[in-house]
């Protein structure tokens, strides 16, 4: 049953920014959560609706603080990927397909865990499913932080570490765009009157590299560069989107301040703006205590669970940054997030559902 539902979910392709596809998938999730006893709310945005579902507690624990679960229904893959380079495929115990690992497998795990706890006493539960997580959740940050108020703990359904360990902290992640406006001119007849926005952007990216080199443990990836139009025209505009990862808030503040203070080296205009930001979620005693409880829950269903820090960012950065005990990585084991060989190990779907059900029953 889990594999059939996962195939259904993977078959509904949901690239970030495709509001129609994302909203159709949110319809599916909303219907499913209602069937499982949830009260569903939609949070409309122009690029796709976010979903919140509250499931009441049961028995003497019905009035306790809720557990919060964080997930997303967008993927990095365009419509048509399923019919092209990444068809659904079950082979040698693995399931392949766009979004199967990041993170529609986690969505199926949560639903199955809800089925398993039917009739059992537990805290209230809340899940927030975000439509733009793959680009840093720019429209969902306020929603996640608002829905996290008063919860007992937060859990994410992102993929785990390769060995199955949960994620106990995450580096901060910030997306920055550098935009340059130069001055167009004929590249052969009047080059001196032009100002190359591309040349200026190249110099600014070299300056960014120097800033990063002055700080320890910073990851920097220039993800996109755009600009210009014709080789016989001095380019009048150029831009680059940069992804930064930071181990701690102090490093993040220092790097972003320096990048924001960049100055043009020629007669060009320079604009630097933050597109999205997830602050660093640092290790804490509260998360260590939560992990100990999850380890005990895992042993109750015959599983050994571990935890370790992670460099990748997700919406759990927000709850961890707020000081809420947080763990991520409850999705099934697999590999290839954001790669054409994306896959999950089929047997770990049920294992993860068993673990999540045990967490809900015991924590």
């Amino acid at each position: 049953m889990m594999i059939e539902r996962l195939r259904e979910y993977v078959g509904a392709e949901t690239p970030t920014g495709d509001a129609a596809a994302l909203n159709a998938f949110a319809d599916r999730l909303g219907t499913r959560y209602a069937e499982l006893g949830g009260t569903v709310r939609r949070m409309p945005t122009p690029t796709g609706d976010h979903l919140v579902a509250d499931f009441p507690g049961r028995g003497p624990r019905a009035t306790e603080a809720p557990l919060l679960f964080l997930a997303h229904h967008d993927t990095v893959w365009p419509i048509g990927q399923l019919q092209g380079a990444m068809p659904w495929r079950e082979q040698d115990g693995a399931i392949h397909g766009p979004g199967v690992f990041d993170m529609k497998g986690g969505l199926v795990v949560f639903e199955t865990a809800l089925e398993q706890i039917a009739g059992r006493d537990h805290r209230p539960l809340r899940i927030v499913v975000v439509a733009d997580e793959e680009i840093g959740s720019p429209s969902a940050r306020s929603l996640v932080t608002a829905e996290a108020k008063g919860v007992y703990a937060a859990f994410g359904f992102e993929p785990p570490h390769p060995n199955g360990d949960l994620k106990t902290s995450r580096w901060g992640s910030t997306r920055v765009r550098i935009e340059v406006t130069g001055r167009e001119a004929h590249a052969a007849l009047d080059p001196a009157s032009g100002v190359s926005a591309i040349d200026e952007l190249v110099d600014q990216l070299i300056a960014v590299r120097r800033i990063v080199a002055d700080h320890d443990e910073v990851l920097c990836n220039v993800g996109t560069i755009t600009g210009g139009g014709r080789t016989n025209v001095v380019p009048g505009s150029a831009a680059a989107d940069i992804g930064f990862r930071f181990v701690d808030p102090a490093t993040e503040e220092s790097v972003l301040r320096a990048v924001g203070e960049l100055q043009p080296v020629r007669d060009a205009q320079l604009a630097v703006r933050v597109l999205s930001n997830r602050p660093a979620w640092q290790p804490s005693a509260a998360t260590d205590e939560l992990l100990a409880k999850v380890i005990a829950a895992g042993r109750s269903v015959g599983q050994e669970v571990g935890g370790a820090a992670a460099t990748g960012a997700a919406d759990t950065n927000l709850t961890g940054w707020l000081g809420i005990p947080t763990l991520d990585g409850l999705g099934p084991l697999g590999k290839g997030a954001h790669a054409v060989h994306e896959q999950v190990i089929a047997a770990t779907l049920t294992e993860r559902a068993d673990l999540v059900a045990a967490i809900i029953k015991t924590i």
Side-chain angles (χ1 to χ4, degrees):
M1 181 62 180
M2 292 186 77
I3 292 176
E4 288 80 1
R5 187 168 298 279
L6 180 57
R7 183 166 189 169
E8 173 193 339
Y9 283 2
V10 172
E13 295 176 291
T14 51
T16 310
D18 189 328
L22 288 160
N23 291 347
F25 194 86
D27 290 341
R28 293 173 186 250
L29 286 182
T31 298
R32 182 66 179 140
Y33 292 158
E35 292 172 350
L36 292 167
T39 300
V40 181
R41 293 173 278 146
R42 293 279 283 265
M43 307 299 171
T45 76
T47 54
D49 294 356
H50 311 305
L51 204 68
V52 180
D54 286 292
F55 299 86
R58 189 179 187 279
R61 308 190 65 195
T63 59
E64 295 182 12
L67 298 180
L68 174 65
F69 295 93
L70 298 174
H72 64 89
H73 59 305
D74 63 321
T75 76
V76 299
W77 302 110
I79 298 290
Q81 192 76 6
L82 188 66
Q83 287 71 43
M86 296 175 68
W88 172 274
R89 181 163 51 96
E90 299 177 49
Q91 183 178 3
D92 299 327
I95 301 171
H96 303 250
V100 68
F101 186 47
D102 187 14
M103 63 174 307
K104 289 177 176 174
L107 292 172
V108 174
V109 164
F110 177 69
E111 294 179 20
T112 306
L114 289 181
E115 293 173 340
Q116 292 185 17
I117 64 164
R120 303 293 296 270
D121 294 344
H122 61 82
R123 296 174 181 272
L125 311 173
R126 177 178 299 149
I127 187 168
V128 178
V129 185
V130 169
D132 57 1
E133 190 278 339
E134 294 293 3
I135 58 169
S137 303
S139 72
R141 176 170 176 160
S142 60
L143 173 67
V144 172
T145 54
E147 296 298 332
K149 291 179 180 177
V151 303
Y152 178 80
F155 297 91
F157 283 102
E158 294 288 346
H161 287 291
N163 66 351
D165 280 356
L166 302 183
K167 297 175 179 181
T168 57
S169 63
R170 287 183 176 278
W171 286 32
S173 175
T174 299
R175 295 163 56 245
V176 171
R177 178 168 294 165
I178 298 177
E179 297 173 306
V180 179
T181 302
R183 187 165 56 248
E184 293 182 343
H186 196 292
L189 301 180
D190 192 21
S193 68
V195 177
S196 172
I198 289 179
D199 286 350
E200 178 69 29
L201 179 62
V202 169
D203 287 338
Q204 295 298 330
L205 293 177
I206 292 172
V208 168
R209 183 179 296 176
R210 287 196 295 267
I211 292 169
V212 170
D214 288 338
H215 295 79
D216 294 331
E217 296 188 290
V218 177
L219 301 180
C220 173
N221 180 57
V222 180
T224 66
I225 293 180
T226 59
R230 299 175 183 273
T231 57
N232 61 351
V233 178
V234 176
S237 63
D241 287 358
I242 308 172
F244 293 100
R245 303 295 174 110
F246 307 102
V247 70
D248 61 73
T251 302
E252 176 182 16
E253 181 182 357
S254 178
V255 170
L256 294 182
R257 181 176 61 251
V259 172
E261 293 173 351
L262 289 170
Q263 297 296 318
V265 299
R266 50 181 58 74
D267 187 21
Q269 295 178 327
L270 185 67
V272 179
R273 59 192 178 97
V274 172
L275 301 177
S276 66
N277 168 262
R278 292 187 180 118
W281 157 29
Q282 296 187 285
S284 70
T287 289
D288 290 343
E289 292 173 7
L290 180 63
L291 178 61
K293 293 176 181 178
V294 170
I295 289 172
R299 287 174 177 162
S300 74
V301 291
Q303 298 183 32
E304 288 297 326
V305 181
T311 54
D315 288 331
T316 44
N317 279 65
L318 299 173
T319 54
W321 169 66
L322 290 170
I324 297 167
T326 300
L327 291 169
D328 206 343
L330 285 173
L333 279 67
K335 60 184 178 180
H338 301 186
V340 293
H341 63 282
E342 181 175 3
Q343 59 192 267
V344 296
I345 300 171
T348 65
L349 287 165
T350 54
E351 291 174 4
R352 279 322 216 210
D354 291 345
L355 175 61
V356 174
I359 289 170
I360 293 171
K361 288 184 291 187
T362 62
I363 292 180

